[in-house]
Structures are given as C-alpha cells and as structure tokens.
Amino acid sequence: MDDFEGSTRPSAGFQLAEALAYARQQSGYSRGDLAKQMGYQNLSRGGQQIQRWEAGDKLPPEERIVLLGRALDLPIMDLLNLRDQDAKQRAQDREAQLALLRRGEAGHRADFRLLQQHYGLLMKTYQAFTRPPVWAEVKIGDAGIVLAYLGAQSFFLGDLLYAWSQNRMSTTCEACGGRFRLLRLAGSPLSGRHQIDGFCIDCGQSDQRRLVKTGTLLAYSQAQKVGMLDHPSRRPTRASLIDLTDAMMESHWSLPQVLASLGVSTPAIQLTTPQGDLLASYDPLRTELTLDKNQASVCFKLWFGPTPIPNSEVTYLEDCWGEAYSGGRPVIGQLSPPRAGSWRGQTRVIFPGESGEAWHQSRGLLYDPQGRVRGVTSGALPSPVLIWLVRWLAGESGAT
C-alpha cells in the first residue's frame, strides 16, 4: 500500500475511506466512472454508494471490496485488511460511546432514586414548596408526560409533589397492588403502547411495565394534568398553555440542594471527564465545590442560605428533539405547533459569559459549543455551580 504514503494520514476507523478516495482521485475517475467500472447499472445510485464509503458513513461489503480493488488496481487483500481494522476500531468507538451514554444516563436519573429514597420527607413538607418558588421549579430529569403527536408537559418538583398529594400521576402497582407513583409517562395515544418510570411507595417496586388503568392512554394523561402551583411565578400564561415545552428559565436549586436544606446528607455530585478522571466534586450539604486539580474550594452558601441572593444567573431549559428514525421518512412528533422527530426531553443551556457561546447539558453529559462532551455528572448540579464549572472549563480551553 505504498501508493497511499502521499495522502493525508487517515483517521482511526476511516483508513479504508481515505484510501478509496485517494485512489479514485489518482485514477482520474469520477464517482460515476468508478460505479460504471464496478458494473452498476444505475450510475447515480452507485455513485451515491461510493460517496458514502469515501465519507466513512458505511463500510463496503466484501463483494464490493473485490470490485473496488479490480477497478482501482489495488491489492484486494490490503483493502480487506483495512476494512477489518476499521470495523474493529468502529466497534470499539461505539462501545466507548455507549459506555459514556450509560454514565450520563445514570447521573441524569439520580434524582429519580433520591425522590424514591426521600419520598416521605418530601411529601410531609411539600406545601413549603409554594413559598420559595425556586424550590417548586426544580427540574427532575425527564419527569412529565410525553404523548406522540400531541406534545409534552414537563413536571417540576412542585408539580410532582402536588400531583402525588392528590393521588394523580399514580397507578396501581403490578407487584403488590399498592400505590405506584409515576415520574414519567411516554407513549402513543393511537396505539396505546407506552413506557412509565416511577416507584411503588408500598413495596418499593420500580419495574412497572404498564398502567393498570381502564380507558385510553390519552384519557389517563388528561386526567393527570395538575394545575400549576398557586404561586404567581407558576401560573401558566396563554403562551405556555399553547406549548408547554418551550424554553424556560430554571431554578438555581436542584433536588440534592433542596434535600440538603432539609438536613439530608446526599452524596457528593461529581463531574468527570469522558475518560472517567475526576474534574470536580460538589457537596450540597456544605455547598462547596472542590476542584480535584488543585484542591481549591469554592463556596456557594450565599446562593442557598436563609436569605439567598437574587436569582440573577440562571440556566435555561430548552426542547431537545431527536432525529426521525423511520427509514428516512419524517416522523411527526407534535402537531400543534408542528415538530418533526421525537421529543427526547429538555437540555440545559448555559452561557459562560455575556458574549460566550452556549454550552449544553443533556442526559448527564456536558457539551461545549463545538458539540464535544467535556464532562459527565453523577447527579443534578445546581445552576450556579454548573455555570461556574462551565466558565472554568471554557477558560481552561481558551474559549470565550
């Protein structure tokens, strides 16, 4: 394969793509010419296939490797070896990416475990959540109702506690017949298929597979729509009634911070690199952030004391709509207003400065403006802590 020494050094997992693109260009073939040499009847379709191989979007099957080698006068065994190496590297990359997503998901769902663990305490004090509205507005992962084609309604901590106090967002536990508290309900009102997250307050079961409820999924969902807490900051506007998934400001509190204010010692929340190295650790009870790099401490007590400072810096919650995964055909996720794709939940938007570009946190992963994962959280960080960390990371990388 000495013919490829003059080309740009290929990236891991894309060696075959680089080699094919370089060899075709050296031969003077267009993609249509190469498709013709390979025996494609439909040259346009063949050229599109070759473009995918050269872009690294797909690996050509072995029978196509043979035709490529003959058409480009390249050793077939060398091409097969490159294909095998790329396939192995891509499999490793996929596994690493899945492992990263699993870590992020575990941190994203940490609040669900805390809600189950401290359900009794929170229910005894839920009325206090109407006094400091920043408590009521704490976002709990993907808590809410998501109905295909009709849209989604997010539930905040105050919404959930009030709903549970009214025996809403609840169903019958499949295991013991007790009271199963729902955190998330997602499904299709047409087919009735759905998934739920939650826990039974009687037996602790959390593996509920279906709603034990008569009537349609739509009828059940409509019955769960609790009114916003009777606080001026929580009363819905006409606009919010039209689309309850639009961007909104987020409380600077988090569930671990609320529990800490109630005297509960919760585990420290860690921020780690994608490789698993510790970047920082936040203790909600002490309101202290420790940077592992130099053991410096940053105290956030003023944000969460008896007279917290004004909520001047906040993050924003924004819709996160996924791509359509139906054979390339568009999938309608919401009819009014129209949204294409599937609703994945809400992402937190963080600005490191007035002129800075937006960072995002989605499902436990913190992304920089270039879309690279810069950190993984083991739980929900309060907004002031997250904003501080983003500024620190942006400064470390020289970003504005």
PDB file of all heavy atoms in Angstrom, residues 210-222:
ATOM      1  N   ARG A 210     -46.673  -1.453  32.737  1.00  0.00           N
ATOM      2  CA  ARG A 210     -47.876  -0.930  32.078  1.00  0.00           C
ATOM      3  C   ARG A 210     -48.758  -0.239  33.113  1.00  0.00           C
ATOM      4  O   ARG A 210     -48.596  -0.433  34.323  1.00  0.00           O
ATOM      5  CB  ARG A 210     -48.665  -2.052  31.405  1.00  0.00           C
ATOM      6  CG  ARG A 210     -49.163  -3.127  32.353  1.00  0.00           C
ATOM      7  CD  ARG A 210     -49.803  -4.294  31.618  1.00  0.00           C
ATOM      8  NE  ARG A 210     -50.196  -5.351  32.516  1.00  0.00           N
ATOM      9  CZ  ARG A 210     -51.343  -5.409  33.178  1.00  0.00           C
ATOM     10  NH1 ARG A 210     -52.223  -4.437  33.028  1.00  0.00           N
ATOM     11  NH2 ARG A 210     -51.623  -6.414  33.967  1.00  0.00           N
ATOM     12  N   LEU A 211     -49.657   0.575  32.635  1.00  0.00           N
ATOM     13  CA  LEU A 211     -50.611   1.235  33.511  1.00  0.00           C
ATOM     14  C   LEU A 211     -51.769   0.294  33.802  1.00  0.00           C
ATOM     15  O   LEU A 211     -52.367  -0.251  32.880  1.00  0.00           O
ATOM     16  CB  LEU A 211     -51.156   2.503  32.849  1.00  0.00           C
ATOM     17  CG  LEU A 211     -50.189   3.677  32.723  1.00  0.00           C
ATOM     18  CD1 LEU A 211     -50.772   4.731  31.817  1.00  0.00           C
ATOM     19  CD2 LEU A 211     -49.904   4.267  34.091  1.00  0.00           C
ATOM     20  N   VAL A 212     -52.055   0.080  35.058  1.00  0.00           N
ATOM     21  CA  VAL A 212     -53.232  -0.700  35.416  1.00  0.00           C
ATOM     22  C   VAL A 212     -54.378   0.295  35.540  1.00  0.00           C
ATOM     23  O   VAL A 212     -54.702   0.816  36.600  1.00  0.00           O
ATOM     24  CB  VAL A 212     -53.013  -1.468  36.728  1.00  0.00           C
ATOM     25  CG1 VAL A 212     -54.214  -2.347  37.042  1.00  0.00           C
ATOM     26  CG2 VAL A 212     -51.747  -2.308  36.637  1.00  0.00           C
ATOM     27  N   LYS A 213     -54.975   0.618  34.417  1.00  0.00           N
ATOM     28  CA  LYS A 213     -55.972   1.675  34.390  1.00  0.00           C
ATOM     29  C   LYS A 213     -56.921   1.424  33.233  1.00  0.00           C
ATOM     30  O   LYS A 213     -56.500   1.061  32.134  1.00  0.00           O
ATOM     31  CB  LYS A 213     -55.283   3.031  34.206  1.00  0.00           C
ATOM     32  CG  LYS A 213     -56.168   4.236  34.392  1.00  0.00           C
ATOM     33  CD  LYS A 213     -56.403   4.529  35.851  1.00  0.00           C
ATOM     34  CE  LYS A 213     -57.201   5.796  36.043  1.00  0.00           C
ATOM     35  NZ  LYS A 213     -57.459   6.097  37.453  1.00  0.00           N
ATOM     36  N   THR A 214     -58.191   1.598  33.470  1.00  0.00           N
ATOM     37  CA  THR A 214     -59.154   1.462  32.387  1.00  0.00           C
ATOM     38  C   THR A 214     -59.166   2.741  31.555  1.00  0.00           C
ATOM     39  O   THR A 214     -58.757   3.804  32.016  1.00  0.00           O
ATOM     40  CB  THR A 214     -60.570   1.222  32.944  1.00  0.00           C
ATOM     41  OG1 THR A 214     -60.907   2.315  33.807  1.00  0.00           O
ATOM     42  CG2 THR A 214     -60.619  -0.087  33.709  1.00  0.00           C
ATOM     43  N   GLY A 215     -59.621   2.638  30.325  1.00  0.00           N
ATOM     44  CA  GLY A 215     -59.687   3.802  29.457  1.00  0.00           C
ATOM     45  C   GLY A 215     -58.452   3.938  28.601  1.00  0.00           C
ATOM     46  O   GLY A 215     -57.518   3.145  28.687  1.00  0.00           O
ATOM     47  N   THR A 216     -58.431   4.940  27.758  1.00  0.00           N
ATOM     48  CA  THR A 216     -57.331   5.123  26.826  1.00  0.00           C
ATOM     49  C   THR A 216     -56.168   5.852  27.485  1.00  0.00           C
ATOM     50  O   THR A 216     -56.310   6.495  28.527  1.00  0.00           O
ATOM     51  CB  THR A 216     -57.789   5.939  25.610  1.00  0.00           C
ATOM     52  OG1 THR A 216     -58.113   7.271  26.061  1.00  0.00           O
ATOM     53  CG2 THR A 216     -58.995   5.306  24.947  1.00  0.00           C
ATOM     54  N   LEU A 217     -54.995   5.761  26.847  1.00  0.00           N
ATOM     55  CA  LEU A 217     -53.808   6.462  27.338  1.00  0.00           C
ATOM     56  C   LEU A 217     -54.037   7.971  27.336  1.00  0.00           C
ATOM     57  O   LEU A 217     -53.616   8.680  28.257  1.00  0.00           O
ATOM     58  CB  LEU A 217     -52.599   6.108  26.461  1.00  0.00           C
ATOM     59  CG  LEU A 217     -51.251   6.686  26.876  1.00  0.00           C
ATOM     60  CD1 LEU A 217     -50.847   6.172  28.236  1.00  0.00           C
ATOM     61  CD2 LEU A 217     -50.189   6.343  25.838  1.00  0.00           C
ATOM     62  N   LEU A 218     -54.724   8.466  26.320  1.00  0.00           N
ATOM     63  CA  LEU A 218     -54.999   9.898  26.239  1.00  0.00           C
ATOM     64  C   LEU A 218     -55.894  10.340  27.394  1.00  0.00           C
ATOM     65  O   LEU A 218     -55.638  11.360  28.039  1.00  0.00           O
ATOM     66  CB  LEU A 218     -55.657  10.244  24.899  1.00  0.00           C
ATOM     67  CG  LEU A 218     -56.036  11.712  24.699  1.00  0.00           C
ATOM     68  CD1 LEU A 218     -54.807  12.603  24.820  1.00  0.00           C
ATOM     69  CD2 LEU A 218     -56.707  11.906  23.347  1.00  0.00           C
ATOM     70  N   ALA A 219     -56.937   9.569  27.672  1.00  0.00           N
ATOM     71  CA  ALA A 219     -57.841   9.924  28.768  1.00  0.00           C
ATOM     72  C   ALA A 219     -57.106   9.916  30.104  1.00  0.00           C
ATOM     73  O   ALA A 219     -57.304  10.797  30.951  1.00  0.00           O
ATOM     74  CB  ALA A 219     -59.021   8.956  28.802  1.00  0.00           C
ATOM     75  N   TYR A 220     -56.250   8.917  30.290  1.00  0.00           N
ATOM     76  CA  TYR A 220     -55.478   8.852  31.534  1.00  0.00           C
ATOM     77  C   TYR A 220     -54.568  10.069  31.656  1.00  0.00           C
ATOM     78  O   TYR A 220     -54.485  10.709  32.707  1.00  0.00           O
ATOM     79  CB  TYR A 220     -54.648   7.572  31.589  1.00  0.00           C
ATOM     80  CG  TYR A 220     -53.809   7.477  32.839  1.00  0.00           C
ATOM     81  CD1 TYR A 220     -54.339   6.976  34.021  1.00  0.00           C
ATOM     82  CD2 TYR A 220     -52.497   7.923  32.853  1.00  0.00           C
ATOM     83  CE1 TYR A 220     -53.585   6.916  35.178  1.00  0.00           C
ATOM     84  CE2 TYR A 220     -51.726   7.873  34.000  1.00  0.00           C
ATOM     85  CZ  TYR A 220     -52.282   7.362  35.156  1.00  0.00           C
ATOM     86  OH  TYR A 220     -51.524   7.324  36.303  1.00  0.00           O
ATOM     87  N   SER A 221     -53.868  10.410  30.558  1.00  0.00           N
ATOM     88  CA  SER A 221     -52.924  11.527  30.585  1.00  0.00           C
ATOM     89  C   SER A 221     -53.628  12.833  30.880  1.00  0.00           C
ATOM     90  O   SER A 221     -53.131  13.662  31.647  1.00  0.00           O
ATOM     91  CB  SER A 221     -52.185  11.618  29.251  1.00  0.00           C
ATOM     92  OG  SER A 221     -51.490  10.418  28.983  1.00  0.00           O
ATOM     93  N   GLN A 222     -54.788  13.038  30.272  1.00  0.00           N
ATOM     94  CA  GLN A 222     -55.533  14.282  30.513  1.00  0.00           C
ATOM     95  C   GLN A 222     -55.933  14.413  31.978  1.00  0.00           C
ATOM     96  O   GLN A 222     -55.948  15.507  32.538  1.00  0.00           O
ATOM     97  CB  GLN A 222     -56.763  14.329  29.611  1.00  0.00           C
ATOM     98  CG  GLN A 222     -56.433  14.556  28.140  1.00  0.00           C
ATOM     99  CD  GLN A 222     -57.661  14.506  27.256  1.00  0.00           C
ATOM    100  OE1 GLN A 222     -58.610  13.774  27.539  1.00  0.00           O
ATOM    101  NE2 GLN A 222     -57.658  15.276  26.179  1.00  0.00           N
TER     102      GLN A 222
END
